[in-house]
C-alpha cells in the first residue's frame, strides 16, 4: 500500500524510499502513515471475512507493494481463547487470551518479521541484523532463512532463554554474544548499522515491523466480530508491541470500523519497569535502568527504544502502566497453564499477572471485557519450568499399583 514515513518527534516526513529507521533531522523514531481518506473508500472488509486468517489478509493496510514478494511462514491467525476458568478465578467475567505463541517461531515477533523481511527484500538488502533478548533473533533467523538473506543476531551473553538461542542457531544465523545487557547490545547494533548501510536493521525501531505487529488488533476485531474489548493488556519490554497494537486499533477507528479504541494497559517486570515509573510519576520521559533484573528475560530491558510511542499509546487510550514481581509472573504462568491449557513463557504471563493485580486494586472491573495478549510459547524457556515446577518422582515399576491406589 502507498505510504509515507513520519518522525514521531518533529513530524518530518519521508517518502517510502527512505530506508533508515530514525529521523535524519532530530533522530527520533519513525512511523508509517497512510492516506486514510483513500483507505476509507478502498479497504474491502468483506474480503477480510472470506480469506483465511493471516497477517497478509490485511495487505491493504500494510506498507508493502502488492507486486512485491511476501516472505511468509504462515504467521497470524492465532487463537483468541475464551478463558472462563481463569476469568472466574480472578474475578473478571469476559476474559479472552490471545495466544501469540502459536506463531511459526513461537512468538508475536513473526507478525512483524514477515513484513520487515519482505521490506528488506523489497529494498534489495542482502544482510539483516538485530539485537535481541531472544525471540526477535529466533524470528529474524527463520525469516532470513526463508528469504535467503544473511542474518546476524547480537545477544546479551547468558541472558537469553535456551529455546530461543537454539532456534537462531538452527536457522543458520551468525550469533554473536556481547557481555552486556540488551540495551547496550541494541546501542552497539544501532552504531554499527549507521556506519554500514549494507546491514538492514530489524529491531522494532524499524517501522515496518510495527506495521506487521499491528495486525494483532485487526485480528481481535475479526475474531470478536467487531465487538472489540474495553481493555487490552500487553507485556512491555522494548515497547514496540504495545505501540503496534495501539496503532492497529487507531487504524480501525480511522477507517470507521470502530467508534473508539480500547484502553491499552502495559505490564513490565518490576526490576525492568522504566515506562511504568514514568507513567506513575507523570513524567514525560523515562529514566533508564542501568541493571534491569527479572526472570522474564524477554523483557529484561532498562531503556526501551520505543518508550515514547508506548507512553503515548497508554496515555492517549486512557490506559495504565503497571509492574509485577517475578513471583507474580510465575504464579500467572502456572495458572494459565493449569486452568486453560495455554503454556507461555514468563514474559508473556506478565499480562495475566498485571491484570490480576489491577483487578485486586479495582483498576480493572468485573464487567470489563478484557483481552490479555500472551506473547511467546512456554517451551522457549524450559529451564525456568524445571526450576519452578515440582520434578517428577522416580519409583520402581512394582510400586506403581500401590502409588496410584
Ligand atoms: N514478550 C515476549 C515473549 C518478548 O520476546 C518480548 C520482546 C516482549 C514480550 C516485549 O515486547 O519489546 O515489543 O515491548 N522481546 C524482544 C526480543 C525485545 O528481542 O525478542 P516489546
Amino acid at each position: 500500500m502507498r505510504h509515507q514515513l513520519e518522525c514521531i518527534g518533529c513530524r518530518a516526513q519521508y517518502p517510502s524510499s527512505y530506508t533508515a529507521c530514525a529521523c535524519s533531522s532530530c533522530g527520533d523514531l519513525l512511523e508509517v502513515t497512510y492516506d486514510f481518506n483513500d483507505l476509507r473508500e478502498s479497504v474491502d472488509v468483506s474480503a477480510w471475512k472470506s480469506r483465511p486468517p493471516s497477517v497478509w489478509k490485511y495487505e491493504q493496510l500494510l506498507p508493502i507493494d502488492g507486486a512485491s514478494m511476501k516472505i511468509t511462514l504462515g504467521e497470524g491467525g492465532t487463537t483468541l481463547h475464551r478463558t472462563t476458568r481463569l476469568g472466574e478465578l480472578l474475578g473478571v467475567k469476559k476474559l479472552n487470551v490471545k495466544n501469540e505463541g502459536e506463531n511459526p517461531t513461537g512468538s508475536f515477533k513473526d507478525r512483524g518479521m514477515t513484513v520487515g523481511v519482505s521490506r528488506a527484500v523489497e529494498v534489495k538488502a542482502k544482510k539483516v541484523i538485530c539485537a535481541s533478548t531472544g525471540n526477535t533473533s529466533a524470528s529474524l533467523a527463520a525469516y532470513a532463512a526463508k528469504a535467503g538473506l544473511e542474518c546476524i543476531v547480537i545477544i546479551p551473553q547468558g541472558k537469553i532463554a535456551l529455546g530461543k538461542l537454539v532456534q537462531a542457531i538452527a536457522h543458520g544465523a551468525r550469533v554473536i554474544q556481547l557481555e552486556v545487557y540488551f540495551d547496550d547490545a541494541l546501542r552497539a547494533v544501532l552504531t554499527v548499522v549507521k556506519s554500514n548501510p549494507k546491514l538492514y536493521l530489524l529491531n522494532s525501531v524499524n517501522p515496518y515491523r510495527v506495521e506487521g505487529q499491528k495486525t494483532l488488533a485487526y485480528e481481535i476485531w475479526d475474531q470478536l466480530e467487531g465487538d472489540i474489548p474495553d481493555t487490552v493488556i500487553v507485556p512491555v519490554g522494548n515497547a514496540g508491541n504495545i505501540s503496534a497494537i495501539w496503532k492497529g486499533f487507531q487504524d480501525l477507528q480511522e477507517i470507521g470500523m470502530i467508534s473508539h479504541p480500547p484502553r491499552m494497559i502495559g505490564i513490565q517486570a518490576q526490576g525492568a519497569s522504566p515506562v511504568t515509573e514514568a507513567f506513575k510519576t507523570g513524567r514525560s520521559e523515562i529514566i533508564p535502568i542501568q541493571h534491569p533484573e527479572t526472570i522474564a528475560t524477554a523483557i529484561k530491558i532498562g531503556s526501551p527504544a520505543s518508550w515514547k510511542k508506548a507512553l503515548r499509546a497508554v496515555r492517549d487510550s486512557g490506559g495504565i502502566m503497571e509492574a509485577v514481581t517475578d513471583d507474580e509472573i510465575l504464579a500467572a504462568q502456572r495458572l494459565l497453564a493449569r486452568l486453560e491449557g495455554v503454556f507461555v513463557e514468563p514474559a508473556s504471563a506478565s499480562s495475566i499477572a498485571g491484570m490480576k493485580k489491577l483487578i485486586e486494586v479495582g483498576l480493572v472491573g468485573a464487567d470489563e471485557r478484557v483481552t490479555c495478549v500472551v506473547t511467546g510459547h512456554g517451551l522457549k524457556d524450559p529451564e525456568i519450568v524445571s526450576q519452578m515446577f515440582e520434578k517428577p518422582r522416580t519409583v520402581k515399576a512394582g510400586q506403581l499399583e500401590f502409588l496410584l491406589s
Side-chain angles (χ1 to χ4, degrees):
M1 173 52 64
R2 256 192 318 164
H3 64 281
Q4 280 194 309
L5 295 158
E6 189 173 299
C7 171
I8 65 160
C10 71
R11 295 287 163 200
Q13 303 212 335
Y14 298 89
S16 57
S17 54
Y18 188 75
T19 52
C21 292
C23 175
S24 62
S25 49
C26 78
D28 220 329
L29 297 181
L30 302 175
E31 64 184 1
V32 173
T33 58
Y34 303 91
D35 179 354
F36 278 103
N37 290 326
D38 220 28
L39 280 172
R40 238 168 262 130
E41 303 297 316
S42 60
V43 168
D44 183 3
V45 180
S46 60
W48 289 15
K49 294 272 159 231
S50 60
R51 289 180 65 183
S54 144
V55 163
W56 289 103
K57 83 170 179 167
Y58 308 110
E59 192 175 338
Q60 283 184 299
L61 290 164
L62 294 175
I64 302 294
D65 192 90
S68 296
M69 187 168 37
K70 313 294 184 306
I71 307 301
T72 176
L73 293 169
E75 50 295 315
T78 59
T79 307
L80 185 67
H81 294 270
R82 185 81 178 83
T83 44
T84 9
R85 298 185 74 212
L86 182 67
E88 252 166 45
L89 183 87
L90 300 184
V92 59
K93 289 180 200 139
K94 289 184 182 150
L95 176 64
N96 289 307
V97 169
K98 180 79 169 150
N99 184 14
E100 288 291 283
E102 292 174 14
N103 277 299
T105 76
S107 87
F108 71 96
K109 307 285 180 182
D110 298 342
R111 287 183 191 273
M113 228 40 104
T114 185
V115 175
V117 173
S118 298
R119 168 73 177 178
V121 171
E122 200 174 61
V123 299
K124 303 196 169 27
K126 298 279 177 271
K127 275 189 198 181
V128 290
I129 187 169
C130 72
S132 178
T133 58
N135 281 319
T136 299
S137 60
S139 183
L140 180 58
Y143 283 83
K146 178 79 179 172
L149 300 177
E150 203 179 312
C151 176
I152 304 157
V153 307
I154 311 295
I155 55 171
Q157 198 231 331
K159 298 185 178 70
I160 86 167
L162 183 63
K164 305 171 190 181
L165 179 59
V166 167
Q167 285 179 290
I169 295 170
H171 290 301
R174 181 169 170 203
V175 181
I176 301 173
Q177 310 199 67
L178 299 184
E179 285 174 324
V180 294
Y181 284 84
F182 165 80
D183 304 286
D184 292 322
L186 179 57
R187 222 165 285 139
V189 168
L190 292 173
T191 307
V192 166
V193 167
K194 246 190 205 161
S195 61
N196 184 350
K198 286 205 171 129
L199 293 171
Y200 188 79
L201 179 68
L202 271 160
N203 277 97
S204 57
V205 293
N206 181 323
Y208 291 83
R209 261 202 46 200
V210 172
E211 291 303 291
Q213 286 171 213
K214 76 180 181 181
T215 59
L216 189 143
Y218 305 164
E219 239 173 52
I220 290 176
W221 181 93
D222 241 343
Q223 289 170 313
L224 295 174
E225 297 183 340
D227 189 19
I228 57 157
D230 303 306
T231 300
V232 175
I233 309 183
V234 188
V236 171
N238 213 22
N241 204 31
I242 191 167
S243 319
I245 298 169
W246 172 239
K247 192 168 190 286
F249 282 116
Q250 283 180 301
D251 286 356
L252 293 177
Q253 189 176 25
E254 283 280 1
I255 54 179
M257 287 162 64
I258 56 173
S259 54
H260 59 268
R263 65 177 181 144
M264 303 297 300
I265 296 184
I267 310 294
Q268 293 189 291
Q270 193 101 71
S273 53
V275 187
T276 305
E277 274 306 301
F279 177 81
K280 289 195 174 182
T281 52
R283 273 196 309 271
S284 57
E285 297 198 351
I286 61 157
I287 299 174
I289 293 166
Q290 297 308 323
H291 303 292
E293 273 318 321
T294 169
I295 45 97
T297 50
I299 53 172
K300 187 170 167 173
I301 296 177
S303 182
S306 296
W307 65 266
K308 199 184 272 183
K309 287 185 179 180
L311 264 184
R312 270 186 203 166
V314 171
R315 287 189 172 135
D316 291 355
S317 70
I320 304 171
M321 285 295 308
E322 187 51 90
V324 288
T325 63
D326 284 356
D327 285 347
E328 289 168 331
I329 289 174
L330 293 171
Q333 181 191 29
R334 210 178 157 103
L335 271 183
L336 187 61
R338 297 202 168 176
L339 290 181
E340 299 292 349
V342 176
F343 179 34
V344 301
E345 66 165 289
S348 308
S350 63
S351 56
I352 308 289
M355 175 183 63
K356 180 172 184 289
K357 191 165 177 178
L358 293 170
I359 292 169
E360 283 160 7
V361 295
L363 288 173
V364 168
D367 292 321
E368 219 165 301
R369 294 163 310 153
V370 181
T371 294
C372 282
V373 178
V374 292
T375 42
H377 200 287
L379 288 174
K380 293 268 191 177
D381 193 355
E383 282 161 317
I384 201 79
V385 177
S386 51
Q387 282 169 35
M388 302 313 301
F389 288 69
E390 61 276 18
K391 296 196 174 43
R393 270 179 76 181
T394 305
V395 299
K396 298 257 182 301
Q399 292 175 296
L400 197 57
E401 204 175 343
F402 169 73
L403 199 68
L404 300 181
S405 63

